[in-house]
Amino acid sequence: MATERQPLEEMTLRQLRKVASRYNVFRYSRMRKAQLLSAIQSIEQERLSNTPSTPVEVKETVEASKFELGQEDPTGGTLASVDEGLADLPSGYGESRIVLMPRDPQWSYAYWDISNEHKEELRRQGGQQIALRLYDVTDINIEHQAPHSVQEYPCDELAREWYLPIPVSDRDYATDIGYRCADGRWLVLARSAPVRIPPVYPSDWIEDVFMTVGWEEDLHDKTIYKLVPPTQRQTAEASNPIYDEIFGMTESTEAQRIAGSLFGSMQHVAGSVVSSFVFPSGMGMWSESAKTMSGAGMSMSGVGMSGVGFSASAPPIRPRQFWLVADAELIVYGATEPDATVTIGGRPIKLNPDGTFRFQMSFQDGLIDYPIMAVAADGEQTRSIHMKFNRETPSRNTNTKEDAVVEWLR
């Protein structure tokens, strides 16, 4: 509830100036108290004389309207009744459609809308298990080319969405939803458009490009600047060595994760059987025993061979090229006065404008003795610290990707 205003005669000079500011009194800050009081009173009297008298009935109507929750539509009626008589949104729109979206470098999200009539039609053709298939379609057209790899994930008939793990980031993927038949056929319900999954390592685009385009300039069919991927550049450009090292380490980590995993051996070859992997949760397991592929002249075999087929609880025999690279670097960092001189092991180090410094070098086996000294600009003060680092590698069983040999594993 609003409080009653203090009488003008009892207000201080500061309070009168605040009232004069609200009334837009000209040059109120230079007036004395008596002048402010006179100016404010004259304005209030003028406003009171220009305000028509309000009937009591109108005041009561205004006060009552404060508690009305509904809002009247200018065309008649309340806005709450606008959607009366409209039917509820349908559960589906009768069009088979699936959309694939990247959630992060290691997971994607798919949602779909499939009509019951379409599902029933494919079940009559022999479809048994509804599933999602994730295709690696990097630099290919899946409509007439075989994908690089295929992963299959059975899902629920009533599901409308699913999360799919991404085997390798920084590649293009598309997904199918369909039915798998007992004879190995794949009946497609819908296929998504290809999407790019972002990489887990930093982008190799590190330069900034700024340009000015005039408002009156015609940009139709005109190229202002052509972006060239770093991998396609012919000329050698100056790069940041620290960034290159960090980028190389993170990129190699992702490559090692893929090369040493089961996904690394799931590359699909045109004409071969779709890859299948059983996760610890059971995802991806096809319940029926493998049968001889009709028309292909080949039978599926794998680990856990029984009299009638094989168990899907283990991956089949597969080749793998396994490798590992690992090393260490030594980074020494610190800060001092920007105009000081810093040496590490007797070598001068360049300081940043704020006085910080960073020194990076390869850290091999043995003892590294690093005395660090800072000398003030006038040479009268010094600070120092003596560091020793010792590295020992008891064993090493590594090889590069180029030196990796094919090994057959179960």
Side-chain angles (χ1 to χ4, degrees), residues 321-325 397-405 407:
Q321 290 180 306
F322 195 54
W323 56 283
L324 169 68
V325 291
N397 182 18
T398 61
N399 60 311
T400 64
K401 187 175 182 179
E402 291 74 15
D403 297 334
V405 297
E407 301 177 54

Side-chain angles (χ1 to χ4, degrees), residues 285-324:
M285 182 168 57
W286 175 245
S287 57
E288 291 194 5
S289 301
K291 297 181 181 180
T292 303
M293 296 290 290
S294 59
M298 58 177 289
S299 63
M300 298 172 62
S301 61
V303 180
M305 195 65 128
S306 63
V308 295
F310 74 95
S311 171
S313 61
I317 299 177
R318 62 197 184 280
R320 176 190 296 169
Q321 290 180 306
F322 195 54
W323 56 283
L324 169 68

Side-chain angles (χ1 to χ4, degrees), residues 97-103 107-112 132-135 137 162-164 166 172-176 191-197:
R97 183 170 179 261
I98 184 171
V99 177
L100 181 66
M101 302 173 59
R103 193 199 76 167
W107 287 92
S108 62
Y109 170 72
Y111 66 93
W112 58 87
L132 296 167
R133 284 190 174 182
L134 185 67
Y135 303 112
V137 295
W162 212 262
Y163 283 95
L164 302 174
I166 297 299
D172 295 330
Y173 289 90
T175 185
D176 276 358
R191 173 170 294 173
S192 73
V195 297
R196 186 73 176 185
I197 302 298

Side-chain angles (χ1 to χ4, degrees), residues 4-74:
E4 186 178 354
R5 193 188 70 178
Q6 182 182 3
L8 295 175
E9 294 76 7
E10 299 178 3
M11 290 185 178
T12 62
L13 178 60
R14 178 175 296 181
Q15 291 173 330
L16 288 173
R17 285 178 175 174
K18 289 184 179 180
V19 177
S21 175
R22 291 197 297 267
Y23 287 166
N24 295 323
V25 176
F26 182 65
R27 302 180 69 178
Y28 68 88
S29 60
R30 299 186 179 184
M31 292 183 181
R32 298 180 182 274
K33 184 175 180 180
Q35 294 173 324
L36 283 173
L37 183 60
S38 176
I40 294 173
Q41 288 175 344
S42 62
I43 292 176
E44 288 185 344
Q45 290 176 1
E46 182 181 357
R47 289 187 176 183
L48 184 62
S49 61
N50 295 334
T51 304
S53 59
T54 305
V56 178
E57 295 80 3
V58 176
K59 292 183 178 180
E60 293 178 352
T61 303
V62 172
E63 291 296 325
S65 64
K66 296 179 180 179
F67 304 97
E68 292 182 359
L69 300 179
Q71 184 178 358
E72 294 295 329
D73 186 359

